[in-house]
Structure formats: C-alpha cells, structure tokens
C-alpha cells in the first residue's frame, strides 16, 4: 500500500458555523459553540495522525465588524471553552500560540489567551496556532513597519521572521470548509505554495473522515514549487 504523505503544517479556515446553525433553526451562537467543539476534535485528530503544526482561523480582523452580540458570544467561547480544553492539550503535548492583534479584544479575553499560551508553552509534540483577530494584510503591514523601524532591508528569510508565524514552516495544506473558494485574508504570504482544499461541508459538520479524505487527496498531489520534477518523497 502506498505510504500517505502527511503535511507538516496544516491550516483550517473554519467557515460555515452560522449557516450550519441556521439550517437547524438554531441561533448563530450555537453554530459557533459546535464549531469550537469540532475544532478541538479535528485538531486532536490531526495531531494523532502525526501532523505537527495546525493553524486555525478562528476570527478574522474583518469579523470584528460583526454585530456586537455575535462577537460577545464568540468572546465568551474563547474565554471559557478554550481554557477548559487545556487538559486535552496536555494529553496531546501540544502548545498553543495565539496569532493576531489581541490588543483591541476585551481585556479578560486577551488575558485568558495569554494564560493559555503561558500554561502550554512547555509542551513540545505539536503546535496549535489560534488566529484571533488575525488578518494577513495587517500582518504584512506590521512586518513592513517593523523592518522600516529597524531601518533595514529585508529578504525572504528575514521578512518571514517578522510575520506573526515567525520561524514556522509555511502551511503545506489549507482546508476551507463552508463552500466558499477564497482565502479571506488568511496566511496570504505564507500560502504562496500551499495546496488548497475546499469542502462544501459546514465547519461543525466537518468530520475526522472528511479530514482523512482531504489528507489522502493532498498525499496524491504533485508539488512542484515551480520546478519540473516531482517532489522527492
Ligand atoms: C466561521 O463561521 C466562524 C467565524 C467567522 C467566526 P461563520 O460565522 O462565518 O459562518 P457562516 O459563513 O456565516 O455560515
Ligand atoms: C473566514 O470566514 C474567517 C474565519 C473562518 C475565521 P468569513 O465568513 O469571515 O469569510 P467571508 O466573509 O465569507 O469571506
Ligand atoms: Mg463565513
């Protein structure tokens, strides 16, 4: 049997919570709660499969313009649900890193995110990047401004270091659920050579089996990076 080639770094654009709930005649907040639950389920499965880095898009910079009630519900989930899942991270030995501009979030949300990072900082088997109030354009502009403030020119390597993903390898594979075929300001610089996968399943319904299928699809792809030979296995 052919060996499955796993991505080292996988990204999830977890879209479709609201529509999933609406189809069930439930409020959007219910969709978000089930979405966060599914996030931990799918991420755990990814780590079990042997994927080392998972980056999830939980809230975009642009999402901050949603109605206050929806944001409050999301913040409540970030505050409570994430810290409840700490034990799970210990079991998996996975460190959590929050990426995005936390400065404009309510102070208690920011504090609970910082606490989560601190409490998992020593875990070494995997890394879960939570993108909260994250936007790729804002990230790039921030990186450019820091280069300017240091008064230095950048090359690809030094520029990468200035991004919020720092020294991490680029995502090999990005999965977007919810049926839309766009990046919506997610890791646009880092995704230059990422393999993209779009699923019509709404995020709360995206299952372990769906992830398995997506990985099999990834594994069969030929990544050429502009060259003419097949990637070496
Ligand atoms: C994704 O689900 C989660 C966030 C953006 C916070 P949506 O809330 O965008 O769900 P849909 O796309 O409206 O169904
Ligand atoms: C992308 O979903 C952001 C997240 C999943 C966090 P959106 O629902 O915000 O994307 P658009 O508005 O459909 O592009
Ligand atoms: Mg959406």
């Amino acid at each position: 049997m052919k060996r499955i080639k796993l991505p080292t770094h996988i990204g999830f654009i977890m879209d479709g919570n609201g529509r999933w709930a609406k189809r069930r005649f439930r409020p959007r907040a219910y969709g978000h709660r089930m979405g966060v639950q599914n996030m931990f389920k799918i991420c755990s499965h990814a780590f079990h499969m042997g994927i080392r880095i998972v980056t999830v898009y939980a809230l975009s910079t642009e999402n901050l313009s949603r109605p206050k009630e929806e944001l409050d519900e999301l913040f409540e989930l970030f505050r409570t649900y994430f810290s409840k899942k700490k034990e799970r991270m210990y079991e998996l030995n996975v460190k959590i890193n929050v990426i995005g501009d936390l400065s404009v979030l309510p102070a208690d949300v920011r504090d609970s995110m910082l606490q989560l990072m601190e409490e998992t900082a020593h875990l070494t088997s995997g890394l879960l990047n939570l993108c909260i109030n994250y936007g790729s354009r804002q990230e790039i502009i921030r990186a450019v401004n820091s280069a300017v403030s240091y008064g230095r020119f950048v090359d690809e390597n030094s520029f990468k270091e200035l991004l919020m993903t720092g020294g991490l390898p680029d995502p090999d594979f990005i999965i977007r659920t919810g049926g839309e075929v766009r990046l919506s300001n997610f890791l646009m610089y880092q995704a230059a050579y990422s393999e993209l996968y779009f699923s019509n399943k709404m995020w709360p319904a995206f299952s372990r089996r769906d992830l398995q299928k997506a990985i099999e699809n990834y594994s069969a792809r030929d990544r050429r990076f502009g060259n003419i030979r097949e990637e070496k296995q």
Side-chain angles (χ1 to χ4, degrees):
M1 206 176 89
K2 203 168 178 291
R3 194 168 56 91
I4 283 279
K5 188 174 60 185
L6 281 180
T8 302
H9 181 179
I10 189 168
F12 290 104
I13 303 177
M14 309 182 293
D15 195 21
N17 294 347
R19 280 165 288 162
W20 181 86
K22 201 171 160 205
R23 285 174 195 174
R24 284 158 184 78
F25 308 101
R26 303 292 296 261
R28 292 179 61 84
Y30 177 68
H32 290 313
R33 177 148 357 101
M34 300 312 277
V36 170
Q37 270 184 31
N38 202 42
M39 179 187 103
F40 283 101
K41 183 176 113 183
I42 295 298
C43 292
S44 302
H45 190 60
F47 289 119
H48 274 305
M49 287 170 88
I51 294 168
R52 280 197 311 108
I53 308 170
V54 179
T55 301
V56 291
Y57 205 8
L59 190 75
S60 74
T61 314
E62 291 72 26
N63 290 150
L64 279 202
S65 59
R66 290 193 182 187
K68 185 178 177 306
E69 305 77 65
E70 177 157 350
L71 289 175
D72 284 344
E73 283 153 358
L74 279 164
F75 292 149
E76 181 54 21
L77 280 174
F78 295 160
R79 243 187 317 252
T80 55
Y81 205 86
F82 282 14
S83 45
K84 265 200 242 154
K85 283 288 166 182
K86 226 170 33 203
E87 301 307 316
R88 189 91 194 89
M89 295 298 118
Y90 287 147
E91 281 164 32
L92 292 164
N93 196 25
V94 166
K95 162 175 153 173
I96 294 185
N97 189 31
V98 182
I99 292 182
D101 179 10
L102 298 184
S103 71
V104 296
L105 301 187
D108 55 349
V109 175
R110 188 171 58 241
D111 291 347
S112 61
M113 293 294 113
L114 295 175
Q115 196 183 341
L116 203 56
M117 286 203 275
E118 237 177 75
E119 288 170 349
T120 59
H122 59 289
L123 305 175
T124 51
S125 297
L127 172 65
L128 174 61
N129 290 311
L130 294 175
C131 297
I132 295 181
N133 191 21
Y134 168 86
S136 187
R137 285 184 175 172
Q138 294 77 2
E139 175 191 39
I140 291 169
I141 290 167
R142 197 186 81 133
V144 169
N145 282 332
S146 26
V148 170
S149 73
Y150 299 142
R152 62 176 220 234
F153 288 104
V154 287
D155 58 19
E156 274 187 33
N157 287 332
S158 56
F159 187 70
K160 239 180 113 175
E161 293 294 325
L162 296 174
L163 294 173
M164 291 171 176
T165 42
L168 294 181
D170 289 337
D172 303 289
F173 192 35
I174 295 178
I175 297 177
R176 179 173 185 143
T177 59
E180 313 295 354
V181 186
R182 53 180 172 253
L183 284 176
S184 301
N185 210 9
F186 183 60
L187 301 179
M188 294 189 301
Y189 184 87
Q190 298 88 331
Y193 270 101
S194 302
E195 296 296 326
L196 307 178
Y197 184 93
F198 298 95
S199 163
N200 285 328
K201 288 264 183 95
M202 299 297 133
W203 174 255
F206 189 78
S207 65
R208 295 189 186 101
R209 177 76 201 111
D210 293 324
L211 175 61
Q212 205 87 34
K213 258 175 28 200
I215 299 284
E216 281 162 23
N217 180 294
Y218 167 84
S219 180
R221 295 188 190 186
D222 179 16
R223 301 183 77 190
R224 287 185 292 276
F225 298 96
N227 212 324
I228 53 172
R229 285 186 313 268
E230 275 192 34
E231 180 191 20
K232 290 220 166 52
Q233 299 259 349

